[in-house]
Amino acid sequence: MSQPINANRLFYASCFALITTAFSFSIRAGILTQLGTEMNLDTVQLGTINSMWFLGFPISMILGGIFYSYIGPKLIMQIALVAHAVGILMTIYAVDYNTLLISTLLIGLGNGCTEAACNPMIADSYSGIEMNSKLNRFHMWFPGGIVLGALVSKFMTDANMQWQAQIWVILIPTIIYAVLFYGQ
């Protein structure tokens, strides 16, 4: 049974989805050295893997923006959740370069869907000064999430934790945003 729409719950879900995006950016950057060593990847391969994040992001953001009015934020965020979850799990269980390419592309697609759905959804949920305030607060979570994710990655790396454990951390905000969006 569907719950009544709760704009504040949607807002917080959007913030956690943006934290997922930020964590995927900073934590993946933090594990590059470990990935290169463990999977015997050179710097060109690592750069190519990372570029998939930047390929998936604009593709899904543009397509999500174009189709937002037709399919709505719910479907776009469902796509984001699947792309994030599958991309994160594929990364954790990656066995080679190609798996990392695909997993990073999926995470980039999830990140772009997050932006394409959450920005207009927040704008549609509020009006006037409250809308401006919510959009400003929403966008602060990206740089905040990058800093937090970088610190988590550094701490975990310094503690000699495997890169897979760091990627598991990205699932935390992913699960939180899935729970918050559920039924909305």
Side-chain angles (χ1 to χ4, degrees):
M1 182 157 101
S2 185
Q3 304 171 19
I5 294 175
N6 180 333
N8 286 329
R9 185 170 165 183
L10 290 174
F11 172 74
Y12 290 118
S14 298
C15 291
F16 278 101
L18 196 57
I19 291 169
T20 299
T21 296
F23 275 17
S24 75
F25 184 74
S26 57
I27 291 174
R28 285 186 77 91
I31 66 167
L32 283 180
T33 303
Q34 289 174 303
L35 269 179
T37 301
E38 188 172 314
M39 293 202 174
N40 199 26
L41 302 170
D42 62 35
T43 56
V44 173
Q45 290 172 311
L46 291 172
T48 304
I49 290 165
N50 263 1
S51 72
M52 293 294 103
W53 191 95
F54 294 102
L55 176 64
F57 188 86
I59 289 171
S60 58
M61 199 152 95
I62 291 167
L63 291 175
I66 290 170
F67 295 111
Y68 178 87
S69 297
Y70 302 105
I71 63 175
K74 181 178 179 178
L75 180 58
I76 296 171
M77 283 311 298
Q78 288 171 338
I79 294 167
L81 177 61
V82 169
H84 276 143
V86 172
I88 291 166
L89 292 172
M90 277 184 73
T91 300
I92 291 167
Y93 296 106
V95 293
D96 61 11
Y97 172 75
N98 291 324
T99 309
L100 289 170
L101 281 176
I102 294 166
S103 68
T104 307
L105 177 64
L106 285 171
I107 291 171
L109 291 169
N111 294 341
C113 285
T114 295
E115 284 287 340
C118 293
N119 279 301
M121 180 178 57
I122 292 169
D124 288 345
S125 299
Y126 301 95
S127 61
I129 292 173
E130 188 176 21
M131 177 191 66
N132 293 341
S133 175
K134 292 293 187 183
L135 282 171
N136 286 335
R137 288 180 188 160
F138 170 67
H139 284 99
M140 76 175 197
W141 286 103
F142 186 68
I146 288 175
V147 170
L148 183 59
L151 290 172
V152 166
S153 182
K154 174 159 180 37
F155 170 75
M156 292 178 81
T157 299
D158 290 349
N160 294 318
M161 297 181 84
Q162 293 185 329
W163 62 267
Q164 293 92 336
Q166 294 183 47
I167 297 296
W168 276 110
V169 171
I170 304 170
L171 269 180
I172 296 168
T174 307
I175 292 167
I176 293 171
Y177 89 71
V179 169
L180 288 171
F181 273 129
Y182 183 77
Q184 294 293 300

